[in-house]
Amino acid sequence: MATMVLPREEKLSQDEIVLGTKAVIQGLETLRGEHRALLAPLVAHEAGEAEPGSQERCVLLRRSLEAIELGLGEAQVILALSSHLGAVESEKQKLRAQVRRLVQENQWLREELAGTQQKLQRSEQAVAQLEEEKQHLLFMSQIRKLDEDTSPSEEKGDVPKDSLDDLFPNEEEQSPAPSPGGGDVAAQHGGYEIPARLRTLHNLVIQYASQGRYEVAVPLCKQALEDLEKTSGHDHPDVATMLNIL
């Protein structure tokens, strides 16, 4: 007994299905026209004398026409479905392109945000540095003002226990009153009187140090030390006093 070998089914693409459907529609339309042409004379002879077997042929032709119409309807549905799938695929491609564009914009915004944060950090550092310089200039201005406006009452005011009088006592407190010409002897033996400006500076440093503001007190002492070294030299007693304050 012979066996019939069925052809292997191959997966068709959407374009191939559409082209095949269109070809089938054309064939069905041609076949429908032929059936209508064959059916018209038979329908015309039904009113008159009918030939033997004409009714059976009319029935068969009408069934074939119904099947052809059904096939054409199904083919139209397939074409409509293919068109809809094409529109969906096109919309999907648009959405994918939009997603890629959004990803690129997101990456660009992240880079801009990172750059802006770096600029903000640099600006904050610059502002902090300017604030420190401002505080330093204000304290230097206060020192100059106190140095210019120092009165005897301010010079004789109470000084903290770590003042320069405790650190560097005068020769007059440690030895008897000098004889005439004792000024030269005191100068030869290292006699030294603390200037009022250094007393004021020391009091300010003690005040700000007691408040924990060392970031202001230390630069203040260093700046005053540099000024003294430039104006009086490295070996001047004021320089030694300022070093002790620092």
Side-chain angles (χ1 to χ4, degrees):
M1 182 176 181
T3 58
M4 183 174 59
V5 179
L6 297 176
R8 184 177 61 181
E9 295 183 358
E10 296 181 357
K11 186 176 182 180
L12 300 177
S13 64
Q14 182 177 351
D15 294 335
E16 292 175 349
I17 293 174
V18 172
L19 292 175
T21 303
K22 289 181 179 180
V24 169
I25 289 175
Q26 292 178 357
L28 290 175
E29 288 177 350
T30 303
L31 188 60
R32 182 178 60 180
E34 293 177 354
H35 277 67
R36 286 179 178 177
L38 292 174
L39 184 61
L42 295 175
V43 173
H45 288 295
E46 285 182 356
E49 296 180 356
E51 296 180 359
S54 61
Q55 293 181 354
E56 294 179 358
R57 282 183 290 178
C58 287
V59 172
L60 292 174
L61 288 173
R62 286 172 179 171
R63 289 179 180 177
S64 297
L65 280 175
E66 291 176 358
I68 291 171
E69 293 291 343
L70 180 61
L72 286 172
E74 292 178 352
Q76 294 294 336
V77 171
I78 292 175
L79 290 179
L81 181 60
S82 175
S83 177
H84 177 70
L85 291 176
V88 171
E89 184 66 23
S90 177
E91 187 67 21
K92 185 170 66 175
Q93 294 296 333
K94 291 180 181 179
L95 291 176
R96 287 179 178 176
Q98 187 175 4
V99 167
R100 288 194 295 269
R101 181 176 60 82
L102 291 175
V103 169
Q104 293 176 356
E105 290 181 357
N106 187 23
Q107 183 65 25
W108 178 76
L109 290 174
R110 288 179 181 275
E111 293 176 357
E112 287 292 324
L113 178 60
T116 304
Q117 288 178 347
Q118 292 178 358
K119 292 179 181 179
L120 178 60
Q121 291 178 357
R122 289 195 293 268
S123 300
E124 290 177 351
Q125 292 176 359
V127 169
Q129 184 177 0
L130 291 175
E131 188 67 24
E132 291 180 359
E133 293 178 359
K134 177 183 176 182
Q135 294 293 335
H136 177 68
L137 292 176
L138 287 175
F139 292 133
M140 293 299 295
S141 176
Q142 291 178 1
I143 289 176
R144 292 192 184 95
K145 184 176 180 181
L146 291 173
D147 191 17
E148 293 174 358
D149 300 339
T150 301
S151 60
S153 60
E154 292 175 347
E155 294 180 2
K156 295 179 182 180
D158 295 335
V159 181
K161 60 181 180 179
D162 293 333
S163 63
L164 294 178
D165 292 335
D166 297 334
L167 296 173
F168 296 98
N170 295 327
E171 289 292 333
E172 296 176 356
E173 298 176 358
Q174 295 180 351
S175 61
S179 57
D184 297 336
V185 176
Q188 294 176 359
H189 291 281
Y192 172 64
E193 181 180 358
I194 304 301
R197 183 172 183 273
L198 293 184
R199 292 176 184 271
T200 304
L201 176 62
H202 181 263
N203 293 337
L204 283 175
V205 171
I206 293 298
Q207 178 182 354
Y208 291 115
S210 63
Q211 296 175 359
R213 303 178 67 177
Y214 299 104
E215 72 279 359
V216 177
V218 173
L220 191 63
C221 291
K222 289 182 178 180
Q223 185 64 36
L225 181 61
E226 291 178 2
D227 295 340
L228 287 174
E229 289 179 349
K230 290 179 181 179
T231 56
S232 304
H234 296 283
D235 299 331
H236 197 273
D238 291 350
V239 176
T241 304
M242 185 56 62
L243 285 172
N244 187 43
I245 295 174
L246 181 60

